[in-house]
Structure formats: structure tokens, C-alpha cells
Amino acid sequence: METTFAGILAQNPLGQGLWLIVIVAFILLLVSTILFLASRYKRCPSDRILVIYGKVGQDQSARCVHGGGAFVWPLIQDFSYMSLTPMTISIPLQGALSMQNIRINVPSTFTVGVSTDKAIMNNAAERLLRLQPREIEDMAKEIIFGQLRLTVASLTIEQINQDRESFLESIRKNVEPELNKIGLYLINVNITDITDESDYIESIGKKAASEAINKAKVDVAEQVKLGDIGEAQANRERAIRVAQHTAESEKGQKTAEADRRVFVQQQEAVATIGEAEANRDRSIRVAENLAEAVKGEKKAEADKRVFVQQQEAEAVKGEKQAEASQRIYVKQQESLAVDGENKAMAEIADYNAELAAKQAEAFEKGEVAKRRAEVEIQKAQYLAEQERLNAEEIVRQETDRRKVEIAAEAQAEKFRREAKGQADATLARYEAEAKGIRQVLDSKAAGYQALVQSCNGDARSASTLLMIEKIEDIVARQVEAIKNIKIDKVTVWDSGNNEKGTSSTANFLSGLIRSIPPLHEVAGMAGVELPQYLGDTTDKSEPTVAPKANAKPAVAPKPPAKEAAPPKPKDA
């Protein structure tokens, strides 16, 4: 088939040119397609967000890409960029109300930017795309103003001024969620200065400065106290160390001197002993030599004598004399040797005694020096301990005095504040009572005025009406006065009628009732005349007849005879 197609092309030159055109057109179409598709692939810089809008997916209004790239389909999709450059917004908040209803000024600077979080990026694409930076700043500024006022209103001046970290955290919690709703996030908050119109913050600063100064003074006094204590302790340690080293030095000197003396005495003793031994050896050797010489002489003489005696026939006698002489000489030499040994031993004993005496004297001097050094050390320790105790007592007294002063100042301040609080409370209570009494009196005056007006201006009628209202209370009080009188039983020995024809029992009861103040008399005391339907106070009873001068006093009836029964008592 290829051969056939090639043959056709070879036979038709026009077909060859057409085929070449088709190939070139296909290549150009392919290249242009590739270039077009490459132009629709959009790369996103690191400082921007690529927003692809159009048909991007179900329930999506835009697709945001940060970093990398994405293909943007022609006709159905388009794209735009949003800058991630932070924006600095100045918030000159003035006159914001705090929790204490104190207006404060909180000038601040907020740094915001478009967030790279997916959800917040979508909010930014929906609300901030194609807006100018100035418009975005204005929108964010309004949000920050409102939330900053809300944050200030939820905190006190102390919380805002003293704990800046908590204040900034509260601002972040309130502002950032609102900014996230439009696609922004809070990068930084900078509070420049906080002031108020009533100088409350300045007063707090002065108070804190005064407290800091007082605390610094206390700390300085405490450090001075510690320095004095340390100096006293150092002086004490120095004195003790000096005394110890002085004692050790003196002790070393005494020990060295004693060792030197002992060594000298030992060397002298060794020399004396050596000299005595040399003298003894010399004497022994001299004695031996003399003995040998004498012995030789005597032997020669004896030999001579023996020879002579032998010659003269007296050899035996000469030998005996020579032996006797020899024995005597040996005895003499032995006696001399024993005397020399005894003398040498006596000299050695004298030297040992003198050496022991010198050693005892040196030991005594060493012990005395040691005891003196210990006494000096004890004196130095006593003085140092006394100085330390004095320093501690002075410091303790100074501390106690300072504590008493601080406690007295605190107690005085407490009394002043309590007295001021009590005075304010008493003044408020009296003002409230005066205001209440004034209102009660005003209400009563208004009521009395209305009552007088309802009586056509007749004040007497008005007072009568008021008295009528109080009659019930008066009667109740009269009843209250006698209701607690408990009369279990009244026994009256009545002998009959009196001159007026009434019994004693009746007179007793009427007197009891009349002891209660009449209602009309009480009203008369108040200057009020009761109506006629309440009764009349005129006494219409017969006038009391004065007793005759010659009248005899009533005599109690004699009791009847024993046979007669006594009259029964009447119970009232």
C-alpha cells in the first residue's frame, strides 16, 4: 500500500505539495495548541495568592492556590491575584469606656494580612478580590475599632495597664476571628501608650513608684543589715583565724626551740658519753700496757731471780715470791679496772639525771606555752563571740523596731481608712434617713393638705376625722392595758346595802371600770370633740352626799353565834 501511495505521489507532483502543506499546518496547529495550553498554566508567586474563579467545582465560588501553579481552562475559568503584603493600620482609639466606666485612650497599631489558610483564603477571595488596599484597610479598621472598644470595656484599668500580655491576648481573641471572616488574619498588635482623662493611670504609676521606692529602701536596709552581719562574721572569722595562726606560730616556734634544745642536749650527751668511753678505753689500755710492762719487768726480774736462785739453789723460793707478786699485781690491776668502771657508770648516771631534768624543764616550758596559746585563743574566741552577739542583738533590735514602725503605720492607715469608711457610711445613712423622713413628712403634709381641702378648709373637721381613725387604736390600747390583769377570784364580804342602796360589790366593779380613762376625755385632751352618736360625757348621776359629822362609822356586823352558820361569800 505504501508503494502504491508513494507511486501515486510520484506520479502526481501537485499531490506532493498538498501533502507537504498538510504536514506543515498540522505541525503549526500542534505547536500553537501547546503554546496556548502553556499560556493557560498560571504559576503563583510566593507573595501572592492565585484565585481561579468561574466553574471550579460544586458548591465552590473560587479556588485559591498559594505556591506552585494551576491550569486555568479557557472560556469557563479566569484568574486573578491577591497580594500577601502585610498592611499596617493605625487605630487612634480615644475615650473608650473601661469596666470601671473610666474613659481611656488606647492608641495602637495593627499589622494584618491575607491569610494562607484554605478556609480564610476562600473568605478573602469572596470578599476582598479586586478591592484596593485602601478599601481593605478601611474595612479592617472599622472591625478593629469595634472589637478594641469591646475588649477595653471587658477589662479594668489595672488589667489593661499592668498585664499587657493578657490585654494583647484578649485583643487577639476578639479581633482575629472577626478579621478571619473577611479573609484577613492578625499578624501583630503594638500598643504605643495608654492614657486616661482622669489621670487614674498616672496615680497608679505614682503609687507603684512609691511602693517600689519603699520596697527598695527596705531591700537596701536588709542588704545593709546582711552586709553588717557578714562584716561582723568576717571580722570574727579573721580574729579567730589570726589567733589560731598566731598560736600555731608560737607553738611551732616553741616546738622548734624545744627540739633544738633537745637535739643539742642529745648531741652533748652523745659527745660526753663518747668522751667518757674514749677516756675509759684509754685508761684501760694504758693500765693494760702498764700491767704488761710491769708484768714483763716483773717476769724478767722473776726470771732473773729464778735464774739466780736456781743458780744459788733458791729457785723455789723465787718462784713462790714471783707468783705471789704476780697475784698481788693482778689483784691490784683488777681493783683499778673496777674503780674505773664504777667511776664511768657514775658519770653516765649523772649525765642521764641531768638530761632527764633538762627534758622535764623543756616539756614544762612547752606545756606552759601551749596552755598560754590556748588561753589566748579562748580570749580571742570569747571577744569574737561577744562582738557577734552584740551585732546580732543590734540587728534584731533594729529589725524589731522597723517591724513595729511598719505595723504601727499599717494599723494607723487601717484605722484612718476604717474611720473614713465609717464616716462615709454614717453620712450616707443619715442622708438616706433624712431623705426618707423628708419624703414621709412631704407625703404627710400633702395628705393633710388634701384632707383639709376635702373638708372645705375646716381644719377642726379634718382633725376630728383623724381622731376618729385613731379611736380603734385607742380602744385597743385600753383593752391591752387591762387584758393582762388576771383576777381569778374576788371575794367580798358584803353585809348588805349601804346608804345609797348599792352593794359593796357593785361599787367595787363600777370603780374598776371608771379607772379606765373615758374616750371623750382622751379626745378632749387632743382638742377634738367627738360626734354625739358616740355618747355624752355629762355626769347625770345624783350628787354625792357628804357624810354627816355625827355619823358613826360603819361597824362590821358581829359574827353570829356558833350554832348559826356563817354567811356564804359572794364571788364576783
Side-chain angles (χ1 to χ4, degrees), residues 58 76 161 173 201 310 419 482 520 571:
Q58 188 176 3
I76 63 173
N161 188 47
K173 287 182 180 179
I201 297 176
Q310 286 177 358
I482 65 172
H520 286 275
D571 295 337

Side-chain angles (χ1 to χ4, degrees), residues 287 327-343:
R327 289 177 181 176
I328 292 170
Y329 177 75
V330 170
K331 293 294 184 180
Q332 289 177 351
Q333 294 299 322
E334 289 179 356
S335 177
L336 292 173
V338 170
D339 290 338
E341 289 179 357
N342 292 332
K343 185 177 180 180

Side-chain angles (χ1 to χ4, degrees), residues 3 34 65 105 288-289 338 551 562:
T3 305
I34 292 173
V65 178
N105 305 323
E288 288 178 352
N289 291 328
V338 170
K562 293 183 179 179

Side-chain angles (χ1 to χ4, degrees), residues 35 119 135 204 232 259 264 270 327 360 431 477 499-500 549:
L35 292 175
E135 297 175 344
I204 293 175
D259 292 338
V264 170
V270 170
R327 289 177 181 176
E431 287 179 353
R477 292 185 181 275
E499 294 179 355
K500 295 182 180 181

Side-chain angles (χ1 to χ4, degrees), residues 87-93 108 110 112 128 133-151 171 174-180 182 184:
M87 295 173 288
T88 301
I89 303 173
S90 179
I91 307 295
L93 182 60
S108 57
F110 287 74
V112 299
L128 303 179
R134 186 63 182 175
E135 297 175 344
I136 297 174
E137 288 183 7
D138 293 339
M139 187 184 301
K141 192 172 185 179
E142 293 298 327
I143 294 174
I144 293 171
F145 257 116
Q147 296 302 317
L148 186 57
R149 286 183 181 274
L150 179 62
T151 304
I171 293 174
N174 291 330
V175 174
E176 192 166 16
E178 299 300 323
L179 292 177
N180 292 340
I182 63 172
L184 300 176

Side-chain angles (χ1 to χ4, degrees), residues 377-425:
I377 292 172
Q378 292 294 332
K379 287 182 179 179
Q381 290 179 351
Y382 171 75
L383 293 176
E385 184 67 19
Q386 188 175 8
E387 291 295 331
R388 184 184 68 81
L389 293 177
N390 291 333
E392 289 182 354
E393 183 64 22
I394 292 171
V395 171
R396 185 182 64 78
Q397 291 179 359
E398 183 66 22
T399 304
D400 293 340
R401 183 181 66 80
R402 184 61 182 166
K403 288 181 178 179
V404 170
E405 290 179 356
I406 294 173
E409 291 177 359
Q411 191 70 15
E413 183 66 22
K414 177 182 177 183
F415 287 158
R416 283 195 295 269
R417 293 188 178 182
E418 288 180 353
K420 184 178 180 182
Q422 291 177 359
D424 293 340

Side-chain angles (χ1 to χ4, degrees), residues 446-463:
Y448 291 155
Q449 185 178 3
L451 181 62
V452 172
Q453 289 178 358
S454 64
C455 294
N456 295 324
D458 189 0
R460 187 177 182 82
S461 299
S463 60

